[in-house]
Amino acid sequence: CEALDNKRCEGERGWQQCADFVLPLLGRTNRTNQLISESTAPLALERFAAALGSVLAPRTMKWHSLSTGFPDLDQDPEIARWLEIVRDILFEHRYAPEANFANQFVEGLFSLGCPGTAVIYIDERLGQGLRDQCIPVHEVYLAEDSAGRVDTVYRWYKLTARQALAEFGEELPEKIRQDAQDERLIDKEHEFIHAVFPRKDFQKSQCPAGSANLPFASVHVAKADGQVVREKGYRPRPYAVAGSAVLPGDVSGRSPAMTGMPDIVQVNAMARTFLRAAEKMVNPPLLLKDDVILTAFNLRAGSLNFGGLDEQGRPMAVPLEIRGSLPIGLEMIEQKRTVINEAFYLNLFQVLVEKPGDQTATEVMERAQEKAQLLAPVMGRQHSELLGPIILREVDILSAAGAFPPPPEKLREFKVSVMPRYETSLAQALSSRDGQAILNALSAVSGLAQFDPLVTQMVDAQSAARVVWQSAGAPLRVLKSEEDMEALVEQQQEAQAIEAALSQGGQLAQGLDAMAGAEEKMAKAATYAEGVRSSVCQSFEIQADQLGL
C-alpha cells in the first residue's frame, strides 16, 4: 500500500481541490464549503450524475439483456427464453432493497464526475442476496496488469469495534473483540486492509466450487497487528473500477471537475468580487464631516439623525460614489458558467432532450445516431469498466447460489458464458448503424429496380429484416427461427403445388366436359343429317312414282 500511496500523491492533490470547490464532503479532511462562493460546479455535478445515470442504467426500463456472443444461439427460442429469465432474475435481485444498487450506483457517478474514479464493491450476504457499496476513492489503491487493466485493489478502511465484530466475528484480534464488549469503546474505530489481487498459483483445472483456488485472492487484515481476519477467493474481481477519462500511464481517472477546475476557481473568485462590488453599490461607504455629533450616525431605515445638516441645509454625510459596471461582471461570470457546464458534458446531454420537430423515421434515426456518437466516448468506458464487471459479478454470485434455472442442453454442450448487451435508447442508437445502412440501401435499390427489376432479387429479405429488427432494439425471441422459416417456405411451396394441381385438374375437367358436349352435338348433327337424307330420298321416290319413272 505504501508504494501505491506514493504513486497516488499527485492525484490526491487534485482530488482535494475538486472536493473543496465541487463536493466538499468528499475529501479526507472533510471540509465544509468555505471556498464555494458560486454553485455552478456543484449543480453541474448533480446534473452530470443524473444525466449519465439515465443514459447508462435508467431505472424505468430493463437496460440490458444477456447474450451468448453467438447470434445463432441467441436466436434459438429455448436459449432466448432462458436468457430472458436469467435477465429478469438479475434485475429482481439487483434492485432489491438489500442490494442498494440504485443509490450506490448514483454515488459512483458522483465520484466519476468529481475525483474521476468510481469504485463499486459487489458482494453478497448469506440469506440476503447481493450487496453493493460505493467505495470512497481516497480509501482505494490501484494497480494494473501489463495490458493496462486494473487487476489489484487495496482498500484501507475503518470499522468500529461493533461493526468489525458483526462482520468478522471471532476471527478478530483479541483487542478489538474486547473493545466490542466494552460500552465505552464499542464505537472506537479500527483500521483494516482488504487486498484483492490475481492468484499466482491459480490452476484452472483444479477449481472446484468453494475452494480457495480461484483466479483472485481476497485477504482482510487488521492493520494494528497484521492478523488475517478473512481469506477467500473470487472468480470475477469483486471491485468494479472505472475512470471518467484515463491518461496513458495513469491509473486514476481524470474527471470533468478537474478539466473545468481553472474556470471553477475563477468563477468563485469573480463571484466573491462581484458580491463585494454590488454590496458597495447598494450600501456604499459614507463620507462624514469631522464632527462629534456624527459619531452616533444611525443607518437604520426610518432613523432620525440630528445634526446631519449644516446651517445652509446641506448634508454633512454623503455616500462614496463607487464606479463600476455590474453587467460586464455578470457577462464574464456567465461565460465561465458555460465553460463549466460544457466540462460536465451538459451541452451534450441537452441534445438528448431537444425536440426534433417534424421529421421522417429515417431522419429521427439519423439524429439519434448523431447524439449517440457525441456521447459514445463518455459512456463507452463505463459500459466496459463499470457496468460490465458489475453484471458479470452478479451473474457469478447468483449462479453459485442456484438462483437461475438450469441452462439449455445446447448451452452446456458449447460451454459458452453470458455477456451483457445494453439496450438503452442511446446504446440502440449506437448499434443501429447496420439497420440504417440496410434501409438506405433498399431505398436506393428500389430506384434502380425501375431500370432492371432483377436487382431486387439480389437482396436476402429475411436476413435484412433480422438485422433491421435487431438494430431497432426489438427482442429476437419473437422472430421465427431459420428452421421454422424453412418449414414455413416448404409448407407454402406444398400449398402452391396443390393449388396448381387443383387448377390443372379443373382445366382438364372443363376440357373433358367440352369434348363430351362436342361429341353429343356431333351425334345430334349426324342424326339430323340422316333424317334430312331420308326425307330427301323419300321425296325423290314419291316424285319418281308420280312420273312413272
Side-chain angles (χ1 to χ4, degrees):
C1 285
E2 293 180 359
L4 296 179
D5 189 27
N6 294 332
K7 186 178 179 180
R8 203 186 67 172
C9 286
E10 294 184 4
E12 282 192 343
R13 287 193 290 270
W15 296 346
Q16 188 60 60
Q17 189 178 31
C18 290
D20 291 339
F21 285 94
V22 183
L23 197 62
L25 299 182
L26 175 67
R28 284 184 172 180
T29 56
N30 203 24
R31 301 176 183 174
T32 59
N33 56 348
Q34 297 177 353
L35 299 179
I36 298 179
S37 302
E38 210 269 344
S39 58
T40 298
L43 289 176
L45 176 61
E46 292 185 5
R47 294 176 183 174
F48 168 83
L52 191 58
S54 65
V55 168
L56 292 175
R59 185 66 178 90
T60 56
M61 66 177 293
K62 294 181 178 178
W63 41 269
H64 76 84
S65 60
L66 296 176
S67 170
T68 62
F70 299 93
D72 293 340
L73 291 179
D74 291 341
Q75 294 175 11
D76 183 274
E78 184 181 6
I79 294 177
R81 179 57 182 164
W82 182 81
L83 292 174
E84 181 183 6
I85 294 173
V86 171
R87 189 273 308 269
D88 293 343
I89 294 175
L90 266 180
F91 272 87
E92 181 180 355
H93 285 80
R94 178 184 299 142
Y95 286 100
E98 298 81 7
N100 202 24
F101 169 81
N103 293 337
Q104 299 303 306
F105 182 68
V106 172
E107 290 185 15
L109 298 181
F110 271 91
S111 190
L112 276 177
C114 193
T117 302
V119 181
I120 295 182
Y121 179 58
I122 310 99
D123 202 6
E124 61 178 328
R125 282 189 178 276
L126 295 178
Q128 295 184 7
L130 302 174
R131 178 184 63 174
D132 297 290
Q133 183 181 5
C134 181
I135 307 300
V137 68
H138 60 262
E139 292 184 357
V140 177
Y141 302 84
L142 308 173
E144 298 176 330
D145 60 12
S146 59
R149 299 170 300 186
V150 174
D151 65 346
T152 301
V153 178
Y154 288 90
R155 181 191 172 199
W156 199 320
Y157 64 103
K158 295 179 180 180
L159 292 176
T160 65
R162 176 181 60 83
Q163 293 171 338
L165 183 63
E167 182 70 21
F168 301 112
E170 297 301 321
E171 298 296 327
L172 288 171
E174 181 65 25
K175 176 65 171 62
I176 300 179
R177 285 190 279 116
Q178 291 178 356
D179 290 348
Q181 303 300 327
D182 191 336
E183 292 294 335
R184 297 171 301 176
L185 302 175
I186 192 172
D187 291 324
K188 180 182 177 181
E189 290 186 334
H190 298 269
E191 293 183 331
F192 295 87
I193 297 175
H194 183 203
V196 176
F197 51 89
R199 196 185 296 274
K200 296 181 180 180
D201 56 350
F202 166 67
Q203 297 181 6
K204 188 174 182 180
S205 60
Q206 301 177 4
C207 187
S211 73
N213 182 37
L214 292 174
F216 288 93
S218 170
V219 181
H220 289 263
V221 179
K223 185 177 179 296
D225 55 3
Q227 179 177 333
V228 176
V229 295
R230 177 180 295 165
E231 184 174 2
K232 58 187 299 186
Y234 296 102
R235 280 176 290 271
R237 180 166 39 86
Y239 287 98
V241 182
S244 181
V246 181
L247 300 177
D250 198 0
V251 179
S252 301
R254 181 174 179 82
S255 69
M258 294 178 181
T259 302
M261 186 51 61
D263 294 281
I264 294 174
V265 174
Q266 289 178 25
V267 78
N268 278 275
M270 292 167 63
R272 288 191 293 269
T273 302
F274 180 83
L275 289 174
R276 287 195 295 266
E279 183 182 13
K280 290 178 181 178
M281 290 184 179
V282 175
N283 187 18
L286 296 179
L287 300 178
L288 303 176
K289 184 178 179 180
D290 188 10
D291 197 326
V292 177
I293 195 172
L294 298 177
T295 56
F297 202 80
N298 190 351
L299 297 178
R300 290 181 299 177
S303 62
L304 300 176
N305 291 281
F306 297 97
L309 300 175
D310 60 10
E311 292 79 359
Q312 287 78 27
R314 292 173 298 184
M316 300 180 65
V318 294
L320 175 64
E321 183 179 357
I322 304 296
R323 296 184 179 274
S325 178
L326 292 182
I328 294 179
L330 288 173
E331 182 178 350
M332 295 176 63
I333 291 177
E334 192 61 33
Q335 291 176 351
K336 295 298 180 181
R337 288 173 176 171
T338 301
V339 174
I340 294 171
N341 288 330
E342 290 179 354
F344 283 92
Y345 308 106
L346 297 188
N347 58 326
L348 297 184
F349 290 121
Q350 184 66 28
V351 175
L352 297 178
V353 298
E354 291 179 353
K355 295 184 178 180
D358 296 334
Q359 293 182 352
T360 64
T362 302
E363 290 173 342
V364 171
M365 186 174 289
E366 291 176 352
R367 179 67 172 169
Q369 287 182 355
E370 292 176 359
K371 298 175 182 179
Q373 291 170 359
L374 290 173
L375 288 172
V378 182
M379 60 180 292
R381 179 181 291 273
Q382 313 316 322
H383 279 163
S384 61
E385 295 184 355
L386 186 62
L387 292 178
I390 289 176
I391 296 171
L392 294 180
R393 173 66 178 149
E394 292 171 343
V395 170
D396 181 74
I397 292 174
L398 296 178
S399 177
F404 301 142
E409 185 64 29
K410 189 178 294 187
L411 279 184
R412 293 195 294 267
E413 177 184 349
F414 285 94
K415 296 181 180 179
V416 297
S417 57
V418 298
M419 60 186 66
R421 182 169 57 203
Y422 303 101
E423 295 186 346
T424 61
S425 57
L426 203 58
Q428 290 172 7
L430 283 172
S431 61
S432 64
R433 183 177 182 84
D434 290 343
Q436 181 62 33
I438 289 177
L439 293 177
N440 292 337
L442 289 176
S443 178
V445 169
S446 62
L448 295 175
Q450 298 177 2
F451 302 96
D452 184 2
L454 290 178
V455 296
T456 58
Q457 303 299 322
M458 300 171 58
V459 181
D460 184 352
Q462 292 187 14
S463 299
R466 291 184 185 277
V467 175
V468 173
W469 188 275
Q470 186 173 4
S471 297
L476 292 175
R477 63 180 181 274
V478 302
L479 295 180
K480 295 182 182 297
S481 65
E482 294 183 1
E483 292 80 5
D484 292 340
M485 291 302 298
E486 291 176 359
L488 182 60
V489 170
E490 291 179 359
Q491 292 176 3
Q492 291 178 350
Q493 290 175 350
E494 291 177 359
Q496 291 174 357
I498 294 173
E499 184 179 355
L502 291 175
S503 177
Q504 292 177 358
Q507 293 176 359
L508 180 60
Q510 291 178 359
L512 293 175
D513 291 342
M515 291 176 63
E519 290 179 355
E520 183 179 357
K521 291 179 180 179
M522 290 176 66
K524 290 182 177 180
T527 303
Y528 177 75
E530 182 64 26
V532 171
R533 187 183 66 81
S534 298
S535 298
V536 171
C537 290
Q538 290 177 2
S539 176
F540 278 121
E541 289 177 357
I542 293 171
Q543 291 178 3
D545 289 342
Q546 290 177 352
L547 294 174
L549 296 176

